[in-house]
Amino acid sequence: MQRMREAINEAIEAGRYGEARSAVEMLWKGQPTGAVANYVLSCIPRWRQTIPGKPWRVYFLRSFTLEPMVPLLRAGGGLEGLDLTVGVGALGAYMQEVLSADSPLYRFQPDSVIVAIQTRDIAPSLWENGVPGSALAAVAEDVLDQYSKLIQALRSYSQADIILHTLEEPVHPSFGVFDAQCTDGQAAAVQEINQGLRRLAGQWSGVYLLDYDRLVAAHGRQNWHDERKWLLVRLPIRAEYQYLMANEWLRYLVPLAGRGAKVLVSDLDNTLWGGVLGEDGSDGIQIGLEHPGAHYRALQQTLADLSRRGILLALCSKNEESEALAAINRHPGMLLRSTAFAATRINWTNKAQNLREIAQELNVGLDALAFVDDSPVECERVRRELPEVTVIELPPEPAAYAAAVRRHPSFERLALSKEDSARGDIYCAQRQRASAQSESASVEEFYDSLRQELEMSLVEPVHELRVAQLTQKTNQFNLTGRRYSELQIHDLARRKDTSVLQASVRDRFGDNGIVGVIILRHSGDVGEIDTMLMSCRVIGRTVETAMLALLLQYSRELGLQWLEGRFVPTSKNRPAKDFFSDHQFELVESDEGGSRWRLNVERNSLDCPRWIYGLLRKDGVLGESLAS
Amino acid sequence: MFSVNLLPLDLALQTEPLMLIDRVRMIASDVFAVPFDGLTPTSSPDSVDSWDSLNHLNMVLALEQELNIQFSPEEMEELLSIELIVALVEEKLSMNGTNPGGDRR
């Protein structure tokens, strides 16, 4: 009777966690109800040891009943690698909660706050009887004023991310179709408020908009609402649509918690084109602007969009490599050519092994990979062997391919930096660097051939986002693994006793952008290295030595005598393990939590490696700070 | 569902029809977090500790979503034991012309 659940239980008891997780996910996707969510939540703790989840605290300020959606959110999040703790504020009490320093909201200490307020609650007069005219403009102004006060109050007590629901338009405007042509009708007023919310979000860092109106519209306003339950228990959303609400929240929480995918690895046959290349030949595969090739081209367009968000693309396909590359580069219908891919594995090896190699080649963890394939068998095999990898099994109908990837929370980005959009190009240059390495006779010759230039300066305001992203995402060369939000970096950069330094690297293949961060806290004659990290893009090129040399120069100018720092081991930062001992630091103490090191600034003569031109930039902000 | 030998779980993934009462018991057992075997036709808010008003709402929502039916506010207040739920759901499904045995896995 409960055969599937028995089988899941057996798999868990036998330690076959990947298999169990995959089956639980299938149950959940097939029936995303509150009941199944509870079952999913009962399974997840049993494999947590092996497949960890990132703890994240979410608090809802809300004007309607959303408790039934909490298990849906936690179950969906659990399967995306989040371990969510959820708090829900009292119904309609959002203003009181943000204004009082000891409210349940602040005692909860949320990482993210979701502000879920409906039009009919915050602007009942606008919702119910929208008489076109100046009255509505006044309502819109008042509503925006409330939101502005709410954010201001929240920000004065908490640095949590804030996710604001936009307001929705009424299904049936008071004036019927006439509302559509009124510049001061109900729809116009709601749009005015939403536009104001966008401006508001832009004025604060860490404030994001969730387009609730678009979400409701996408699924049909009439279908979405359940007026009976609204009147009975203040629950406005129909049972079948609640998991879509939860999924929308996840599209914010997954990237905020740093659980987004960095690389999308795609199959070829029946994924990026229709048909099987080995059987149908390059003339027989379907790809182009007409049916049925257009569906596959829509997926390629989606991948191109993700690439512009900074997500790397890679290929993993069972094919003859030369034949596949020829089709990719010569077929007139293809949108993505081979230069779009940062890594390719086109061979007959099993895909789990190929994915391991791709992760290694691109210097990312397996949990940074998302794998897209049409074959349930390949998907299942990867889920079982590599439970860390996010697997996106394409639906049977190619017309639905693109949407399946577009709505996945792993690929959402809540802000874009210049480096994000150029990342694909940077990796392409990196492949050329790698081939330069194999051509160079010695490692030193290779370093010389790179003609690297390192420039370090205090963080510039426009780069605070990038610096925060680096602290969030850098796992390998990271001495302490401390994570900072953009807002925290912003604040740190303005403290007199703290220096936030950015390091960028150029070489003959291109500009790598900002790839290093040092946060130095100074008191008296001691500088404490709170954070020192370097992107995996430049690992193995002695950039860290050059960064330290510039840090020493900077420390001397600040009049510091000692540099101190800790190495805090994590599961991934082995590449940084020997940094202190390799650079003349002496060990002060060492315990389970890590080791403590120091270096005499005066007596140390460390220099930039001769193959790196290092520049400590002191114009602008850095100059001012040194003068003060 | 699968054509290759990824056993043994795959066998179990194949859908199994359930009697309506067992589907209801299964939903209730998940929502109230009590063992399936502990639920009988007469189980009610009096005999199940976790059958409170929020979980009652959660159960109604799960039934509505899974069986594609809707309850009126008055009906929601009548669903006060497993057998009362089964009776009302049966009536609704027969009006819909839907087969109550389904593919809950």
Side-chain angles (χ1 to χ4, degrees):
Chain A
M1 114 135 287
Q2 292 166 279
R3 281 222 318 268
M4 176 143 180
R5 293 189 182 198
E6 279 163 20
I8 289 170
N9 192 40
E10 275 172 32
I12 292 177
E13 280 179 0
R16 303 195 306 273
Y17 298 116
E19 177 179 333
R21 188 191 167 289
S22 160
V24 168
E25 187 172 352
M26 202 167 286
L27 261 181
W28 168 245
K29 295 268 155 74
Q31 214 138 46
T33 68
V36 176
N38 276 1
Y39 172 71
V40 172
L41 289 169
S42 75
C43 293
I44 288 174
R46 302 178 65 191
W47 62 61
R48 256 293 132 68
Q49 288 290 324
T50 316
I51 313 174
K54 169 102 182 250
W56 201 254
R57 300 176 70 79
V58 184
Y59 196 88
F60 284 94
L61 295 172
R62 48 69 186 261
S63 71
F64 58 91
T65 300
L66 45 75
E67 283 85 344
M69 289 169 256
V70 170
L72 304 174
L73 174 66
R74 293 187 58 232
L79 293 171
E80 297 295 342
L82 293 184
D83 183 5
L84 295 175
T85 306
V86 178
V88 180
L91 198 74
Y94 41 88
M95 262 310 175
Q96 297 91 304
E97 290 217 49
V98 294
L99 288 170
S100 149
D102 65 344
S103 66
L105 159 68
Y106 300 124
R107 271 183 273 133
F108 184 80
Q109 299 195 319
D111 296 301
S112 301
V113 176
I114 299 179
V115 183
I117 300 176
Q118 295 186 103
T119 316
R120 58 179 143 199
D121 299 317
I122 198 166
S125 60
L126 164 56
W127 182 257
E128 277 153 19
N129 44 24
V131 181
S134 59
L136 287 188
V139 172
E141 202 170 311
D142 171 61
V143 167
L144 283 171
D145 188 51
Q146 290 187 52
Y147 274 104
S148 172
K149 290 198 169 104
L150 184 137
I151 295 175
Q152 198 157 11
L154 229 172
R155 261 293 166 266
S156 59
Y157 294 112
S158 166
Q159 298 211 336
D161 319 303
I162 302 172
I163 300 156
L164 297 177
H165 280 211
T166 64
L167 297 191
E168 63 183 312
E169 295 175 23
V171 185
H172 299 293
S174 298
F175 278 68
V177 293
F178 180 62
D179 189 75
Q181 69 197 69
C182 293
T183 53
D184 49 6
Q186 274 170 299
V190 170
Q191 285 159 15
E192 168 74 29
I193 293 172
N194 288 342
Q195 192 58 32
L197 289 177
R198 273 178 207 113
R199 283 193 299 269
L200 193 60
Q203 289 160 13
W204 296 85
S205 60
V207 177
Y208 310 97
L209 277 202
L210 181 153
D211 200 341
Y212 185 69
D213 188 60
R214 177 158 57 202
L215 177 67
V216 177
H219 299 285
R221 293 186 197 281
Q222 311 217 41
N223 300 326
W224 184 268
H225 291 114
D226 185 339
E227 283 305 306
R228 292 195 287 200
K229 290 207 182 46
W230 165 248
L231 294 173
L232 193 64
V233 291
R234 291 290 173 234
L235 174 62
I237 307 173
R238 194 181 293 268
E240 298 93 299
Y241 294 86
Q242 293 183 5
Y243 82 96
L244 293 163
M245 183 72 253
N247 188 57
E248 197 71 6
W249 289 327
L250 284 177
R251 293 172 73 177
Y252 291 76
L253 298 175
V254 166
L256 285 173
R259 293 299 320 215
K262 297 176 187 168
V263 184
L264 182 152
V265 187
S266 174
D267 175 38
L268 281 173
D269 288 335
N270 284 317
T271 298
L272 290 191
W273 55 58
V276 177
L277 180 65
E279 288 167 19
D280 304 325
S282 60
D283 298 335
I285 57 172
Q286 300 151 346
I287 177 67
L289 296 169
E290 306 299 328
H291 174 87
H295 300 311
Y296 303 95
R297 181 140 171 144
L299 181 60
Q300 294 197 11
Q301 183 62 57
T302 304
L303 266 52
D305 286 352
L306 297 190
S307 167
R308 279 190 288 272
R309 289 182 205 170
I311 291 154
L312 295 174
L313 305 179
L315 282 176
C316 179
S317 163
K318 291 185 174 164
N319 258 307
E320 289 302 333
E321 185 170 19
S322 56
E323 203 181 326
L325 288 175
I328 290 168
N329 288 327
R330 295 203 199 119
H331 197 291
M334 286 290 289
L335 180 68
L336 299 173
R337 303 294 183 183
S338 60
T339 48
F341 300 95
T344 51
R345 286 293 180 283
I346 302 172
N347 54 39
W348 303 94
T349 315
N350 90 58
K351 294 204 173 182
Q353 179 55 30
N354 279 327
L355 288 175
R356 280 193 201 97
E357 288 182 21
I358 288 173
Q360 206 169 15
E361 178 178 335
L362 298 177
N363 266 321
V364 298
L366 280 166
D367 58 0
L369 298 189
F371 173 67
V372 178
D373 203 305
D374 66 300
S375 154
V377 177
E378 296 290 359
C379 288
E380 182 66 8
R381 188 157 280 157
V382 170
R383 283 197 199 99
R384 289 182 184 195
E385 280 193 48
L386 307 174
E388 308 92 322
V389 173
T390 301
V391 175
I392 300 168
E393 183 174 328
L394 292 171
E397 179 55 54
Y401 278 10
V405 173
R406 283 191 191 274
R407 68 166 166 258
H408 204 280
S410 289
F411 305 121
E412 296 297 346
R413 295 292 183 267
L414 300 181
L416 286 182
S417 58
K418 201 179 88 202
E419 277 82 0
D420 285 330
S421 332
R423 186 162 301 131
D425 301 337
I426 288 170
Y427 273 82
C428 195
Q430 180 139 322
R431 276 201 293 179
Q432 294 169 7
R433 267 174 222 123
S435 68
Q437 180 160 21
S438 51
E439 286 162 18
S440 308
S442 77
V443 174
E444 295 203 354
E445 270 176 47
F446 165 65
Y447 292 149
D448 275 332
S449 76
L450 285 176
R451 295 204 298 273
Q452 303 185 86
E453 293 172 20
L454 170 74
E455 182 177 302
M456 203 154 90
S457 72
L458 284 176
V459 62
E460 297 161 65
V462 292
H463 291 130
E464 284 167 3
L465 169 65
R466 168 68 182 162
V467 164
Q469 283 179 343
L470 279 170
T471 71
Q472 295 287 335
K473 295 192 297 196
T474 309
N475 296 319
Q476 298 186 35
F477 194 98
N478 192 335
L479 293 177
T480 51
R482 297 203 177 106
R483 312 296 191 195
Y484 291 104
S485 67
E486 185 189 359
L487 194 62
Q488 288 168 320
I489 292 294
H490 182 82
D491 290 344
L492 283 176
R494 272 148 198 78
R495 291 175 63 111
K496 285 253 184 284
D497 60 355
T498 305
S499 305
V500 181
L501 299 162
Q502 59 177 48
S504 51
V505 170
R506 272 184 303 275
D507 61 38
R508 75 174 160 108
F509 297 104
D511 191 342
N512 288 278
I514 294 175
V515 289
V517 175
I518 295 176
I519 299 176
L520 187 71
R521 297 182 187 257
H522 21 91
S523 76
D525 61 354
V526 178
E528 164 83 19
I529 303 173
D530 171 281
T531 294
M532 175 164 173
L533 62 83
M534 198 174 71
S535 159
C536 52
R537 275 183 217 161
V538 292
I539 281 185
R541 293 162 47 172
T542 71
V543 169
E544 65 275 22
T545 305
M547 278 174 71
L548 180 62
L550 294 184
L551 177 65
L552 279 166
Q553 190 187 330
Y554 179 64
S555 302
R556 275 184 213 111
E557 294 181 26
L558 282 181
L560 299 176
Q561 190 74 39
W562 294 97
L563 268 187
E564 297 199 3
R566 277 181 73 76
F567 175 72
V568 182
T570 66
S571 59
K572 290 179 182 158
N573 69 352
R574 280 191 62 85
K577 184 171 69 74
D578 298 324
F579 173 75
F580 286 125
S581 55
D582 284 350
H583 291 91
Q584 307 169 30
F585 279 74
E586 28 180 303
L587 182 64
V588 180
E589 61 187 12
S590 150
D591 55 48
E592 279 167 22
S595 49
R596 177 155 204 89
W597 302 76
R598 67 173 186 175
L599 182 73
N600 188 312
V601 174
E602 290 292 300
R603 265 182 274 146
N604 191 287
S605 57
L606 189 95
D607 240 331
C608 266
R610 64 173 167 75
W611 46 78
I612 299 184
Y613 173 73
L615 172 69
L616 184 62
R617 227 185 66 214
K618 283 179 286 186
D619 54 311
V621 261
L622 189 52
E624 283 165 31
S625 151
L626 284 174
S628 65
Chain B
M1 195 159 221
F2 297 108
S3 53
V4 287
N5 51 341
L6 290 165
L7 297 175
L9 200 51
D10 308 351
L11 252 189
L13 282 170
Q14 287 165 12
T15 57
E16 332 149 34
L18 280 185
M19 298 283 293
L20 180 59
I21 182 161
D22 289 336
R23 288 187 86 173
V24 172
R25 284 170 71 207
M26 191 103 165
I27 291 172
S29 115
D30 282 338
V31 170
F32 302 134
V34 295
F36 178 84
D37 294 330
L39 291 167
T40 66
T42 57
S43 295
S44 71
D46 292 331
S47 62
V48 178
D49 286 345
S50 50
W51 193 327
D52 56 17
S53 57
L54 176 58
N55 276 337
H56 187 74
L57 173 62
N58 285 333
M59 180 183 65
V60 168
L61 294 168
L63 290 164
E64 289 187 338
Q65 183 177 355
E66 187 168 328
L67 302 169
N68 196 20
I69 51 178
Q70 296 279 313
F71 294 105
S72 71
E74 294 75 17
E75 287 167 338
M76 276 179 65
E77 288 167 18
E78 292 166 12
L79 300 172
L80 290 177
S81 73
I82 298 289
E83 58 192 354
L84 286 172
I85 296 169
V86 172
L88 188 58
V89 168
E90 212 149 43
E91 189 184 316
K92 287 192 170 282
L93 290 176
S94 66
M95 283 192 307
N96 283 0
T98 315
N99 168 20
D103 64 346
R104 184 176 174 89
R105 299 180 283 203

